Amino acid sequence: MRVLVTGGAGYIGSHTVLLLLEEGHDVVVVDNFSNSSPESLRRVAALCSRAPRLYRVDLLESEKINQIVRDLAPDAVIHFAGLKAVGESVAKPLSYYRNNVTGTLNLLDAMESAGCRNLVFSSSATVYGESTELPLVETTQRSATNPYGRTKLHIEEMLEELAAADERWSIAALRYFNPVGAHESGRIGEDPQGIPNNLMPYVAQVAVGRREQVNVFGGDYPTVDGTGVRDYIHVLDLAAGHLAALDYLTDRTGSFVWNLGTGEGSSVLEVIQAFARAAGKDVPYQIVDRRPGDVAENYADPVKARLELGWKAERGLEQMVQDMWRWQENNPYGFPEEASDSYDNDELNEQLLKAASTVQSSSKPNNEGNQK
Ligand code: NAD
Ligand code: WQD
């Protein structure tokens, strides 16, 4: 199947592109590198001896997106591209609505005019707002507490309306819980710009010596040890969920929604302790005030995805932190710095082909994914 992946150079996108290539799909990535670099995809190509085709393009460039979708005629689209920092969305709501909502509209228009109507969308458990009804099931009432969350909510609603209006569309919204971890090679992983907003990358940067200590936001929640509880999910399990959703959509139309979580909660202190064991060193922390907007606890009911997609998360917290640590230890400052416009599209694609063919692997070099 030819799959167009928006935001495919990013954290979750790069792991999903790897799985798609490994499964033999023909993969086309579009990314503007606003929060990533082409290096993630060079490493993906080296890991699997296959190259995706890559376009550096912004979803807001509607003409270019139209042309790419028309020329490439993908069978399905996985749509990761978006801005994702909650705090930044409060400071810059218009950028978030423009990038996430308008970007998605441009993509949908392009898909519609090319006759490609299979879509898997990156939604988020953020659409459950401050719900305290646990575990969170797909039928829990949705709400938003910040502009980022509202972009996800609006997009989910838009997608449902689209599928209701035109029965040729097949759409899956996947509500991720807290994605963490990295590919077991330690070659690709999460590379946050600036101070990480999320717990796990922050802990990893403390463990590797880039930051002094973890600030634990609140020690007086009504939870197992007073700190916040979340459903952390390994990024490779998450990536596998996308392949299962693509498969599900192949012979169905309509709009569907699934939680992608483990169903298990871990507290902030449990995460810090697990990470310290994986890294073999202390991870210093201090308890500070609660972070405004945080709920005490949330975790998924993952049953719907298991029954309908045949998917469930396989990796536990220990493996998440071990893989995260391998990535962080091998790449303490993430991917090497590179100006986002260093190379044009032809050069980027040549680099990907080269990376795919230089890997020392017994698997056959197969670059068909890089051909139109
Ligand atoms: P990421 O920032 O690593 O990846 C997003 C990618 O999209 C980046 O490569 C970025 O350069 C690209 N991008 C952003 N805007 C674009 C645009 N207008 N045009 C083209 N490319 C653009 O983030 P991620 O963690 O991989 O998240 C992927 C998706 O999953 C996002 O939609 C995010 O909201 C959603 N999500 C993430 C989490 C999480 O905690 N990581 C949780 C729930 C949902
Ligand atoms: C986890 C726990 C914090 C940082 C966010 C978004 C959500 C989704 C995933 C995209 C909480 C505590 C954190 C730190 C801490 N993203 N914490 N010290 O808030 O569950 O979800 O990312 O869709 O929309 O809101 O994840 O990793 O920020 O926090 O103590 O430095 O860690 O209070 O209990 P969260 P997180």
Side-chain angles (χ1 to χ4, degrees), residues 143-155:
S143 66
T145 55
N146 55 67
Y148 166 70
R150 204 158 288 110
T151 66
K152 294 294 179 192
L153 192 50
H154 283 337
I155 294 167

Side-chain angles (χ1 to χ4, degrees), residues 84 86 124 126 148 177-179 197-200 202 214-217 228-230 232 268 291 294-295 298:
K84 63 166 181 177
V86 171
S124 166
T126 192
Y148 166 70
F177 278 68
N178 291 54
N197 299 302
N198 296 115
L199 177 67
M200 193 74 90
Y202 201 106
V214 183
N215 291 315
V216 176
F217 299 144
V229 167
R230 296 291 183 276
Y232 297 94
V268 176
R291 183 172 64 179
D294 275 352
V295 293
N298 85 28

Side-chain angles (χ1 to χ4, degrees), residues 6-13 30-36 57-60 79-84 99 122-125 148 152 176-179 190 198:
T6 77
Y11 172 45
I12 307 168
V30 301
D31 203 302
N32 65 359
F33 302 120
S34 58
N35 196 37
S36 58
V57 63
D58 193 310
L59 287 183
L60 296 177
H79 177 32
F80 293 105
L83 300 175
K84 63 166 181 177
N99 196 77
S122 295
S123 190
S124 166
Y148 166 70
K152 294 294 179 192
Y176 314 156
F177 278 68
N178 291 54
E190 187 173 10
N198 296 115

